[in-house]
Amino acid sequence: MKSALYLYNTISRKKELFEPVSPPFAGMYVCGPTVYSETHLGHARPFITFDILYRYLMHLGYKVRYVRNITDVGHLENESDDTGEDRIARKARQLNLEPMEVVQKYMNSFHRAMGRLNILEPSIEPRATGHIIEQQNMIDALLRKGYAYESNGSVYFDVEKYSKAYPYGILSGRVLEEMQANSRVLEGQDEKRGQFDFALWKKASPAHIMRWSSPWSEGFPGWHLECSVMSTKYLGEVFDIHGGGMDLIFPHHECEIAQSTAVKGHSPVRYWVHNNMITINGQKMARSLGNFITLDELFTGSHKMLLQAYSPMTIRFFILQAQYRSTLDFSNEALLAASLGLQKLMVAARTLEGLKPSDCSTIDVSGIEEKCYEALSDDLNTPVAIAHLFDVVRIINLVNDGKEKLSSDDIKSLQQLFKTFVYDILGLVQEEGGGSEKLSGVLSILLELRQEAKARKEWSVSDRIRDRLSALGITVKDRKDGYDWEISS
RNA sequence: GGUCGGUUGGCCGAGUGGCUAGGCAUCGGUCUGCAAAACCGGGUACGGCGGUUCGAAUCCGCCACCGACCUCCA
């Protein structure tokens, strides 16, 4: 058996042994995007982090149901005052589109970016607008239990009442009294009894397009409700893992716990897993701060802060080189380093495929696999796993240079190791240089001619071919027994 | 102001009491017609002050600085 998995549980603030409710099944819910604008680098982190967790759980033999939602209604611009407008509705008005056109546009773009990052599709990708009835049912249950109240067509969750029966703030470590003592009372919240009450149902203003009929008003559901409803609908009343960014701990996940506990008497989630933020100049990358770079901009290099384009696998590798609970600072230098490191790893992976076996090994390769499992099982320590893989890279290169030897069996086990960790679990793929088949055909004609010129010591001819290709951004690499080329950006 | 977390070499980033993290950059070497590429090898660190200990990046105390959250957020 592979080593047991330990995950850091936000609610206990400890690493805990992962034991699913009903093995071999494992359920995981991750908060997906609100589809009202382009996906940026910060968004890539949770989806890559939980992609690794998804892949690793499957690799360990679990039958995983991975649910990742799409928020397509209910997420307000600003929940703290009554001018708060639904993000999607607002974007639709700005672009003069139907709200569902906005949703489709950004959902498509999100899926494209996820695909390029080689993020596996979740088992279920439910949408908030597809679960209005279920959300209304939950509101109804909360009203009957007395933890919600109607006010002017809207329905709110009664935090104060809830906190008398259950501990409110157990996930984020907050105490309601302290929050009340430490914050000002905001204007324009007449509808709510308590300032920390949150909306379950909002009455739509006459201009609001996204609206559904309900016993309380024509309106739309509150943001926190959809995750409670959709997670338990597809994963059960108690499920294993709930993931998302650390910035969602409060209020979003805290409210999820309150809602579900108020109805069922217990929280549905066993392991809360949160990834840290990607920072830029030491500050969180966020739309509201205007310091974000979209994934498309990274892939094409079309952002003024970028010195060059960075491939999807570079982004993936960059993120995996940090443990998911640490902040990760963006810079061109760091991305360039990731890009070169990844290249080294992937070139070695290709070298490994054609490595020549010897009768016996002069290097001990046993134990590396176990170290990789240990790293990943220790709360997904991908940087340590990658460090072990670079040890293998050094071995591959030494053997390839004839300085060390490996037996056929050892080469096979290293190939299996790379397949498991590099490709299957870390989800890295070989990226082509961007050249078409025709281009590589033309290049091989040119470079063969150059080899012949070199053989005749006609250096002016060989150098001219090399320099002219270089001017076009194609780097010629002379090898011991041939040549290779690469298109640089 | 409250709560939580962080400060590691030129850069990114692991590591929680003694054992080389790793990558990028740099330096030295190998290879090479030259160059690039590739490969090998070396050096450089633990925010400050005090304490505990045979031994501290790691534990404790104080200080400084940075960040996240406190109903916008991945």
Side-chain angles (χ1 to χ4, degrees):
Chain A
M1 175 60 194
K2 289 135 186 170
S3 54
L5 171 62
Y6 281 79
L7 287 174
Y8 183 89
N9 194 343
T10 307
I11 208 157
S12 67
R13 292 163 208 281
K14 280 194 289 247
K15 286 180 192 171
E16 294 178 8
L17 178 64
F18 177 69
E19 292 176 301
V21 188
S22 31
F25 300 99
M28 175 161 80
Y29 184 90
V30 173
C31 290
T34 301
V35 281
Y36 73 103
S37 74
E38 293 294 339
T39 315
H40 66 68
L41 178 60
H43 295 123
R45 194 162 196 200
F47 304 127
I48 288 174
T49 298
F50 292 103
D51 186 52
I52 300 294
L53 183 51
Y54 181 38
R55 288 165 181 268
Y56 194 51
L57 287 169
M58 287 194 293
H59 180 79
L60 292 177
Y62 293 109
K63 307 247 180 284
V64 188
R65 181 177 292 164
Y66 175 20
V67 181
R68 189 184 68 201
N69 71 303
I70 294 277
T71 296
D72 56 358
V73 69
H75 204 155
L76 301 184
E77 257 331 295
N78 186 352
E79 305 226 351
S80 69
D81 63 47
D82 277 347
T83 62
E85 188 175 8
D86 184 284
R87 287 159 180 254
I88 287 154
R90 175 181 158 140
K91 192 78 180 189
R93 188 167 48 74
Q94 287 169 344
L95 297 178
N96 202 21
L97 294 171
E98 276 292 317
M100 279 302 127
E101 282 182 287
V102 171
V103 165
Q104 194 70 50
K105 174 184 160 78
Y106 292 113
M107 194 168 66
N108 290 347
S109 143
F110 170 72
H111 285 147
R112 273 196 303 275
M114 293 300 106
R116 295 195 67 185
L117 290 167
N118 199 30
I119 290 167
L120 298 177
E121 290 164 0
S123 325
I124 304 175
E125 192 171 53
R127 290 164 61 171
T129 53
H131 298 78
I132 300 292
I133 302 290
E134 291 89 337
Q135 294 181 76
Q136 292 185 347
N137 289 343
M138 185 156 181
I139 296 170
D140 195 46
L142 284 164
L143 283 166
R144 278 187 278 112
K145 290 266 182 181
Y147 288 110
Y149 57 89
E150 187 187 339
S151 175
N152 192 28
S154 292
V155 182
Y156 294 95
F157 187 88
D158 192 333
V159 172
E160 181 131 9
K161 178 157 184 193
Y162 173 82
S163 75
K164 287 185 176 129
Y166 303 98
Y168 179 78
I170 45 170
L171 183 66
S172 55
R174 268 157 237 269
V175 180
L176 187 60
E177 289 77 36
E178 287 176 8
M179 286 167 61
Q180 286 165 336
N182 282 319
S183 63
R184 304 174 288 119
V185 177
L186 296 168
E187 297 291 319
Q189 296 199 327
D190 317 343
E191 284 187 1
K192 295 202 279 186
R193 288 181 192 163
Q195 62 170 317
F196 296 102
D197 294 354
F198 53 90
L200 300 168
W201 188 262
K202 287 286 273 187
K203 180 181 177 181
S205 64
H208 199 104
I209 311 169
M210 301 176 80
R211 58 205 300 152
W212 289 263
S213 61
S214 78
W216 317 289
S217 65
E218 286 238 331
F220 55 94
W223 175 41
H224 309 308
L225 201 57
E226 59 170 285
C227 289
S228 289
V229 162
M230 295 189 291
S231 59
T232 49
K233 169 160 182 170
Y234 297 110
L235 296 174
E237 276 184 27
V238 176
F239 61 93
D240 300 307
I241 298 168
H242 193 313
M246 274 185 184
D247 50 353
L248 297 180
I249 292 172
F250 193 91
H252 187 52
H253 292 158
E254 201 69 75
C255 294
E256 277 187 50
I257 291 174
Q259 287 165 165
S260 296
T261 306
V263 174
K264 300 287 181 190
H266 59 82
S267 166
V269 179
R270 290 161 51 88
Y271 300 88
W272 284 96
V273 180
H274 292 98
N275 62 278
N276 213 320
M277 302 292 104
I278 288 182
T279 58
I280 182 162
N281 297 322
Q283 238 194 350
K284 174 181 168 181
M285 182 177 285
R287 281 195 270 245
S288 56
L289 296 170
N291 61 354
F292 65 93
I293 301 174
T294 70
L295 290 173
D296 276 341
E297 286 167 342
L298 280 158
F299 298 160
T300 58
S302 62
H303 186 284
K304 62 178 188 306
M305 290 187 72
L306 298 174
L307 297 176
Q308 62 167 85
Y310 300 98
S311 73
M313 280 307 111
T314 296
I315 304 300
R316 188 173 177 106
F317 190 67
F318 170 67
I319 287 174
L320 293 179
Q321 272 190 307
Q323 209 270 349
Y324 74 91
R325 286 191 294 117
S326 306
T327 55
L328 171 59
D329 200 51
F330 161 88
S331 68
N332 277 283
E333 212 178 352
L335 274 175
L336 185 63
S339 145
L340 293 171
L342 173 67
Q343 198 180 341
K344 183 173 175 174
L345 181 68
M346 296 319 257
V347 167
R350 269 176 284 175
T351 306
L352 178 60
E353 290 307 308
L355 215 53
K356 292 193 177 64
S358 304
D359 294 340
C360 59
S361 298
T362 55
I363 268 190
D364 183 17
V365 299
S366 65
I368 298 175
E369 182 185 49
E370 198 187 330
K371 284 184 188 170
C372 289
Y373 279 117
E374 274 173 21
L376 288 176
S377 290
D378 181 17
D379 198 27
L380 301 181
N381 200 329
T382 50
V384 166
I386 288 170
H388 294 316
L389 292 171
F390 273 107
D391 285 342
V392 178
V393 168
R394 210 183 77 256
I395 293 170
I396 292 169
N397 289 330
L398 282 167
V399 172
N400 194 41
D401 267 21
K403 289 170 183 157
E404 299 283 357
K405 290 177 183 174
L406 281 179
S407 69
S408 168
D409 283 352
D410 279 345
I411 289 176
K412 277 184 195 137
S413 78
L414 289 185
Q415 287 170 343
Q416 184 57 41
L417 180 81
F418 262 50
K419 184 191 173 297
T420 300
F421 286 95
V422 177
Y423 299 119
D424 293 351
I425 297 174
L426 296 181
L428 298 169
V429 292
Q430 296 278 0
E431 289 178 314
E432 294 306 319
S436 65
E437 274 184 43
K438 277 183 187 167
L439 176 62
S440 74
V442 170
L443 277 172
S444 63
I445 295 171
L446 264 175
L447 293 174
E448 271 167 35
L449 287 171
R450 177 166 173 273
Q451 288 301 102
E452 289 167 23
K454 276 179 69 179
R456 291 192 298 269
K457 300 193 190 301
E458 293 172 6
W459 309 125
S460 67
V461 174
S462 69
D463 288 356
R464 194 172 73 192
I465 293 173
R466 182 177 69 194
D467 295 345
R468 295 281 300 271
L469 285 175
S470 173
L472 291 170
I474 297 166
T475 308
V476 177
K477 302 175 181 181
D478 287 335
R479 301 239 185 253
K480 210 172 284 178
D481 48 358
Y483 57 85
D484 200 357
W485 54 271
E486 186 179 74
I487 299 179
S488 47
S489 40

